[in-house]
Amino acid sequence: MIGSMKRFCYRCGALEAEHGPLIGGLCQRCFAEENRLLQAPAELEVTICGRCGAHLIGKRWHEAGEGDATANAVRAIVLSSLKVARLTDAGMKFLRPHEVPELELRVEPKLAKGVIEVWANGKVHELQVKPQLEEARIKFTLKRSTCDVCGLRSARHYEAILQVRGKLTREECSEIRKMLEQLAAEAGKRDRSAFIANVEERREGLDLYVNPVSLARQMVSMLKSGFGAEIKESAKLVGQTRDGRRKFRFSILARLPSERG
Ligand SMILES: [Zn+2]
Ligand SMILES: [Zn+2]
């Protein structure tokens, strides 16, 4: 009879009628055996900043976040190293875990054992009747280092000196200082390398040592709009960066008018 031809798995011979839809000629079980869901490395190196708990992924440092810095770092580095197989009409793709919405993923660092256990539950192909559950064990070694920002901070590195001048009372001086420090703290949340390396309160005003120069310029525009400060900026060539760009140190003078409203 036409149409009654029985389709079966080319690998094990299982009948489609009994074992569910074939995928690329394979039965459900053989498909899952031949197409692993999870790709995980056997070993990982986890690098953490001993000062602030930031962790390194590739060449970039990432903020520690809330809670246990080591466990967070391990989890983030594992997530960045995992790939999840996805087969569509367009072929096989290996996606990042967050790109697969219906994926269930558990990452459990066993810090004392130096092992991370990973479970993934999901489908490689949408014709799969059940998601496939897979497990991986990743060995990891922990390395302490100093992150880029802590390195700069401990060296008291700065790109710009912002000098705030004007006839300022002590109260005005500390009010302005507070404002600028708050601005720096906000900027630091968006950009780890934005910070004030040092502040000196002087008789003639405030000196702030600031990274990077763009933060100093934000401060300046605040002083301009809030206090009507007059700005003078100059730059001095101080050398070269490791990748050969010219390196400048900026001096910015913000002079506040004596009559302020
Ligand atoms: Zn089969
Ligand atoms: Zn650090």
Side-chain angles (χ1 to χ4, degrees):
M1 238 168 71
I2 296 169
S4 73
M5 213 169 76
K6 289 188 171 150
R7 303 215 309 155
F8 55 88
C9 173
Y10 71 77
R11 191 166 171 257
C12 74
L15 289 171
E16 182 171 49
E18 288 169 22
H19 294 93
L22 298 180
I23 306 166
L26 288 169
C27 72
Q28 295 278 324
R29 211 185 69 200
C30 290
F31 178 82
E33 278 171 14
E34 297 228 328
N35 297 280
R36 308 311 291 165
L37 175 69
L38 189 62
Q39 280 197 341
E43 280 178 53
L44 269 180
E45 192 174 79
V46 174
T47 306
I48 294 180
C49 174
R51 291 167 190 255
C52 73
H55 55 268
L56 191 62
I57 295 180
K59 284 182 179 166
R60 272 196 61 191
W61 287 93
H62 296 260
E63 206 73 51
E66 310 264 305
D68 181 346
T70 307
N72 287 345
V74 167
R75 199 166 277 129
I77 292 164
V78 167
L79 284 178
S80 79
S81 76
L82 294 178
K83 282 186 180 157
V84 180
R86 194 83 181 150
L87 182 62
T88 64
D89 294 340
M92 187 65 97
K93 275 190 189 147
F94 293 94
L95 304 174
R96 298 263 167 231
H98 70 266
E99 296 173 315
V100 186
E102 67 278 33
L103 179 79
E104 281 176 62
L105 192 71
R106 241 171 71 206
V107 175
E108 275 189 21
K110 309 273 179 201
L111 297 183
K113 286 190 200 163
V115 167
I116 307 146
E117 293 176 348
V118 181
W119 289 270
N121 196 28
K123 293 179 183 179
V124 176
H125 194 280
E126 60 178 10
L127 278 182
Q128 282 184 284
V129 178
K130 280 192 302 184
Q132 57 194 77
L133 179 66
E134 286 178 19
E135 206 185 314
R137 276 168 76 86
I138 305 170
K139 274 209 272 179
F140 74 93
T141 48
L142 205 58
K143 219 176 100 184
R144 298 268 167 199
S145 177
T146 301
C147 77
D148 49 356
V149 174
C150 288
L152 292 176
R153 277 177 190 264
S154 71
R156 294 219 162 184
H157 173 274
Y158 60 94
E159 211 172 80
I161 308 177
L162 171 59
Q163 297 183 304
V164 184
R165 296 291 183 266
K167 285 206 181 88
L168 299 170
T169 64
R170 259 183 181 282
E171 289 72 36
E172 288 171 316
C173 212
S174 73
E175 189 193 323
I176 288 171
R177 177 178 178 164
K178 236 185 249 165
M179 230 177 60
L180 297 178
E181 283 174 336
Q182 206 169 358
L183 182 72
E186 285 301 317
K189 284 180 198 161
R190 293 185 299 271
D191 172 8
R192 288 173 28 78
S193 67
F195 62 89
I196 299 172
N198 196 18
V199 185
E200 285 169 6
E201 284 190 27
R202 303 175 171 279
R203 191 190 301 256
E204 27 338 335
L206 270 177
D207 287 359
L208 295 105
Y209 298 78
V210 181
N211 284 293
V213 67
S214 59
L215 174 58
R217 291 190 182 124
Q218 274 180 53
M219 292 174 166
V220 154
S221 71
M222 189 184 242
L223 294 171
K224 231 170 163 175
S225 62
F227 301 89
E230 247 178 70
I231 310 300
K232 267 189 205 135
E233 186 181 311
S234 60
K236 201 171 97 188
L237 187 66
V238 291
Q240 264 192 354
T241 60
R242 256 184 234 165
D243 50 353
R245 284 176 297 137
R246 295 196 294 168
K247 213 160 109 184
F248 292 96
R249 179 150 298 151
F250 297 84
S251 298
I252 307 177
L253 178 67
R255 189 170 290 284
L256 275 54
S258 29
E259 295 289 316
R260 293 190 293 276

